[in-house]
Amino acid sequence: MKRDMRKWLEELQAAPVKKAMPILSFPAVQLLGISVKELISDSDRQAKGMQLVAERTDAAAAVSLMDLSVEAECFGSRIRVTDKEVPTVTGRIVEDEEGAKALKVPEVGSARSGLYVDAIKKAVQLITDRPVFAGAIGPFSLAARLLDVTEIMMECYDEPDMVHLVMEKATSFLIEYCKAYKAAGANGIVLAEPVTGLLSPALAEEFSAPYVKRLVDAVQDDCFIVIYHNCGNNTIQMIDSILETGAAAYHFGNAIDMAEMMTHIPAQTVAMGNVDPAGEFFQGTPESVRSATLQVMEKCCSYPNFVISSGCDIPPMSKWENIEAFFGAVKEYYEGQAD
């Protein structure tokens, strides 16, 4: 369903009681009674899983799988898939500048990318009461998977031209991928750029921000917005270049103090975060999730542009009683404010 997403953000910010927007999709495997391997291989199950999550939670939007292996697989990376965990990339496919020059930009539709776009096309027909966001990896985080996360950190210093060449190709593909999601009916994209959070502010400004901005400029408009996600621990130090990307909203992980981050966010820009997905949603208890959620809200809800969320995507096998405790805590907080 086509929506005015700028207006949606304005209404979300203006609402005295704000709906939470966790990155919640993979736990749908429990509702469907299937494995992660089955979920990532079937667009019907992905769309149905998103629908079931939407029906079970009062979230501000529906968010598709944050599967950061899809795009790298399109380029030829090997993927490790299990029944209970999010897929991961193994090994590197670009070893040197010659390999970077030879790297071919894949077509959207190759590997599983077509399946994921198809899932969004189906999901927007099933979920009509809230926006539907697709998920995609950010340019630097994709390049890091092609070059290897550890190696790219050194090559930003030793082989910057090679890194930029891979970045160019990664960005070209991601722009077309996001355009495909837009054509499929998505209301926006959650763009995950976590590896950038490991860089110094200067390197982030050189190797990530300009490429993210290029993508944002190519796809974002009133009806399709980019929510920039970065769960790295250096995001506060690099916030200036992050904001320069021009994304419509921002999402941060639990490696940082969200209250401190909010002091750096412009008053009219929505920022989301940051209850620990692994430590709380996956490993915690309903009581600890409630406490952690209320703690973040008590520190951050004085900012009208803050929206409570998970710090990153919630792991597949996170207990639904923990997820429900999160939503219960959000409701409890706002009811307490009304008293």
Side-chain angles (χ1 to χ4, degrees):
M1 178 185 293
K2 201 166 190 179
R3 299 173 184 267
D4 184 336
M5 293 303 293
R6 301 287 188 183
K7 184 179 179 182
W8 175 77
L9 282 174
E10 290 171 3
E11 291 174 346
L12 186 64
Q13 181 167 340
V17 177
K18 294 176 174 54
K19 292 186 178 184
M21 192 177 153
I23 308 298
L24 173 59
S25 55
F26 271 108
V29 295
Q30 300 175 58
L31 305 180
L32 292 164
I34 62 174
S35 67
V36 170
K37 187 175 183 180
E38 290 171 311
L39 182 67
I40 68 169
S41 306
D42 189 317
S43 63
D44 286 322
R45 284 169 164 167
Q46 288 182 28
K48 183 63 177 177
M50 291 177 67
Q51 181 189 25
L52 291 176
V53 170
E55 290 173 350
R56 187 152 177 167
T57 66
D58 190 27
V63 182
S64 75
L65 304 184
M66 189 180 277
D67 180 351
L68 306 187
S69 71
V70 176
E71 300 88 347
E73 188 179 26
C74 292
F75 277 88
S77 295
R78 295 184 302 277
I79 308 299
R80 186 175 73 88
V81 179
T82 64
D83 287 339
K84 294 185 177 182
E85 296 179 351
V86 176
T88 55
V89 176
T90 61
R92 65 187 297 188
I93 62 170
V94 178
E95 300 280 349
D96 49 31
E97 189 166 355
E98 188 174 309
K101 290 177 180 177
L103 185 68
K104 295 191 184 316
V105 179
E107 294 289 328
V108 174
S110 61
R112 286 177 293 133
S113 61
L115 184 152
Y116 275 53
V117 171
D118 193 42
I120 288 295
K121 188 174 183 180
K122 294 170 179 175
V124 297
Q125 300 301 316
L126 298 173
I127 304 166
T128 58
D129 65 339
R130 66 196 76 183
V132 174
F133 285 89
I137 197 171
F140 187 76
S141 297
L142 174 53
R145 279 156 176 79
L146 303 179
L147 284 159
D148 181 79
V149 172
T150 302
E151 295 295 330
I152 199 171
M153 297 300 167
M154 295 181 286
E155 286 161 351
C156 284
Y157 293 102
D158 299 336
E159 299 286 348
D161 291 344
M162 179 185 72
V163 176
H164 279 297
L165 179 55
V166 176
M167 290 292 302
E168 289 285 345
K169 295 183 177 184
T171 305
S172 294
F173 172 75
L174 290 172
I175 287 172
E176 296 307 312
Y177 190 35
C178 291
K179 285 180 177 178
Y181 275 131
K182 188 175 184 178
N187 301 114
I189 193 94
V190 178
L191 190 74
E193 189 70 312
V195 184
T196 297
L198 303 175
L199 294 172
S200 69
L203 288 179
E205 186 173 5
E206 178 181 355
F207 288 100
S208 177
Y211 296 97
V212 173
K213 186 178 190 311
R214 189 185 307 174
L215 186 153
V216 170
D217 290 346
V219 301
Q220 185 166 266
D221 56 28
D222 289 346
C223 297
F224 187 91
I225 62 172
V226 176
I227 299 177
Y228 173 98
H229 164 78
N230 189 329
C231 52
N233 57 358
N234 289 334
T235 49
I236 293 176
Q237 290 88 341
M238 60 182 65
I239 189 59
D240 289 345
S241 69
I242 289 174
L243 293 172
E244 285 171 5
T245 64
Y250 298 87
H251 190 281
F252 299 103
N254 53 286
I256 61 153
D257 182 339
M258 194 70 202
E260 183 181 350
M261 174 60 85
M262 292 307 301
T263 67
H264 299 278
I265 304 297
Q268 299 306 311
T269 300
V270 169
M272 308 174 184
N274 74 343
V275 179
D276 187 347
E280 292 298 342
F281 284 95
F282 181 53
Q283 297 177 327
T285 64
E287 292 76 20
S288 71
V289 171
R290 172 186 173 274
S291 177
T293 303
L294 291 174
Q295 186 176 40
V296 175
M297 295 185 75
E298 286 161 3
K299 289 181 178 179
C300 299
C301 283
S302 59
Y303 296 91
N305 55 331
F306 170 74
V307 173
I308 187 69
S309 180
S310 54
C312 194
D313 61 319
I314 297 174
M317 304 314 294
S318 300
K319 296 182 184 69
W320 269 93
E321 62 184 3
N322 288 351
I323 295 167
E324 287 162 353
F326 166 78
F327 283 99
V330 175
K331 183 179 180 182
E332 178 186 341
Y333 175 84
Y334 284 116
E335 285 178 346
Q337 295 299 110
D339 292 340

